Every structure is written in structure tokens, then in C-alpha cells.
Amino acid sequence: MTTSEFEAQVRRQEQIVIIDMQGVINSDAESGLSAAYEQAEAASSQTIVLNFSQVDYINSTGIALIVGLLARARKSHKILAVFGLSDHYREIFNITRLADFMQIYQDEASLLAA
């Protein structure tokens, strides 16, 4: 499996802020993911969205990082949503019950239509 280092870019799309992620979400992604989330939070949007469409792999530490973002969002009364999960990671989000606490969309178009 070819994997790449984690990268994240933050962009505003209509009334939401999207964090476009790519590469591997593991312990090495912690500082980049946290910095991207802080930038997204500063954009004063009620909804922050994580784009997983270019994510190669998420390990258990990566799931824990996502749980941490969810806790931060809930503490600051933000909505955290996601799109672009593969079928495998969608199932992981269901098993871990992350799906109970965040909105999951198939892709950006379905997110924006909602």
C-alpha cells in the first residue's frame, strides 16, 4: 500500500468551512490536523467539515484524533460533519459510533445540497 504524509488545507464553501485532508491519519498527523482545525474554527462558521476523499489510511490513533476533534467541536457548540469516507471507513465510523455524533455525507455535492 502506498501512503503519503498527512496534509490539510482549509477552505470556506458557502456557509461552512471544509478541511481537505490527504495522506495518512495517524500519530504523525496530530499537529497538522490540530492546526487545520484551529484555522477552521477561527473562520467563525457553525459547521466544520472533514473531507476524507483523499485520505489513504486511518489507524486507531487517527480515529482517536477524529474523536478529539469531535470533542472540541461539541465543546465550542460547532457541528462537525464529514464526507468522502470509503465504505470501509464509513463502517468503522458506524462501529465506533462516531456516526451517531456527526453528519456523514457521501460527497461534497450531497453535503452542499443538504
Side-chain angles (χ1 to χ4, degrees):
M1 167 172 56
T2 302
T3 57
S4 58
E5 285 188 35
F6 179 80
E7 292 181 31
Q9 295 81 36
V10 177
R11 64 185 165 97
R12 187 175 262 303
Q13 182 70 25
E14 297 182 12
Q15 300 300 315
I16 60 175
V17 177
I18 298 174
I19 302 174
D20 294 312
M21 303 176 297
Q22 62 184 41
V24 176
I25 301 178
N26 59 16
S27 61
D28 294 336
E30 184 173 10
S31 63
L33 186 57
S34 182
Y37 186 83
E38 287 171 14
Q39 184 181 350
E41 198 171 41
S44 300
S45 174
Q46 186 62 29
T47 302
I48 298 172
V49 181
L50 304 176
N51 174 3
F52 286 90
S53 62
Q54 298 298 312
V55 170
D56 299 322
Y57 178 74
I58 310 169
N59 68 9
S60 59
T61 302
I63 294 294
L65 293 175
I66 302 305
V67 169
L69 294 184
L70 178 60
R72 288 171 69 176
R74 292 172 63 92
K75 185 176 180 179
S76 61
H77 306 288
K78 304 275 186 192
I79 297 168
L80 190 64
V82 304
F83 72 87
L85 289 170
S86 68
D87 290 340
H88 171 74
Y89 289 116
R90 185 182 285 261
E91 182 63 24
I92 296 294
F93 273 49
N94 284 321
I95 290 169
T96 60
R97 298 197 57 216
L98 279 170
D100 293 350
F101 300 99
M102 58 180 64
Q103 299 166 341
I104 298 177
Y105 297 92
Q106 185 66 33
D107 52 30
E108 188 169 345
S110 61
L111 165 75
L112 295 175

